[in-house]
Amino acid sequence: MSPMRTVRGRGVPGRGTAPRRWSPEIAATLMVIAVGAAEVAVLRLAPPDLRPVISAGLLGGALAALVLFAAVWRSRHTPAREVHHPVLPEAGPDGWFGADALEGFPMEEIRPLLPAPDAPDLNRLYTAWILVNHGHDAPWISHHLDLPPAAVRLLVDAAYQRQ
């Protein structure tokens, strides 16, 4: 029995070959070649007295195709901008949830949110409070801790008032 090949689905019983995807560079290169071939064909078919005008137009088309290729190439080969978040300090002897870490937590403001059916977990709110005090912003905390933005905004506002 021969070994099964599973690279991109080839050789797997009951499955055809996986479709190939063209990269934007290949698509742009083929577009430039197609535009160039069309330009040569149009120039050969044009009457001799119109060739200078048609050549100028075709040169503009070739430059536009070149700019398109360069834009695609640059967008694919430019490194993504890195996002830097504040680094959290090491936990103290009592850990992150020690008495001093939760000092100033706005429990009275948070209390109305807790009896709701989809109420946020109190431990997540404590974690959010600590992250707010260490420099993280409300959208980041809301996204990573899966908390409602209103609750996180309340914590951020309380932390700013405390400072």
Side-chain angles (χ1 to χ4, degrees):
M1 188 159 115
S2 66
M4 282 197 325
R5 292 176 30 202
T6 59
V7 177
R8 292 191 176 221
R10 289 177 284 215
V12 176
R15 188 166 169 197
T17 60
R20 293 188 181 255
R21 292 180 49 197
W22 287 14
S23 69
E25 289 95 352
I26 292 173
T29 303
L30 291 175
M31 176 75 92
V32 169
I33 291 170
V35 168
E39 289 175 353
V40 169
V42 166
L43 195 55
R44 286 190 180 252
L45 295 173
D49 58 334
L50 293 178
R51 283 186 183 166
V53 175
I54 293 173
S55 294
L58 294 178
L59 181 61
L63 288 175
L66 183 64
V67 167
L68 171 70
F69 179 80
V72 169
W73 181 269
R74 183 165 189 240
S75 70
R76 296 279 297 189
H77 294 286
T78 301
R81 192 174 54 167
E82 292 184 23
V83 177
H84 297 286
H85 295 290
V87 177
L88 295 175
E90 292 295 321
D94 296 333
W96 276 24
F97 292 102
D100 60 337
L102 295 177
E103 184 179 330
F105 182 78
M107 188 57 156
E108 294 305 315
E109 289 85 1
I110 293 291
R111 195 175 309 277
L113 300 174
L114 297 178
D118 57 343
D121 180 39
L122 191 56
N123 286 330
R124 286 188 186 189
L125 291 170
Y126 288 153
T127 304
W129 176 252
I130 292 170
L131 292 173
V132 164
N133 286 322
H134 286 100
H136 288 276
D137 59 349
W140 187 90
I141 294 171
S142 179
H143 172 72
H144 288 329
L145 295 181
D146 195 28
L147 288 171
V152 177
R153 175 56 45 204
L154 200 148
L155 293 174
V156 169
D157 292 342
Y160 286 136
Q161 288 176 0
R162 191 178 137 214
Q163 291 177 354

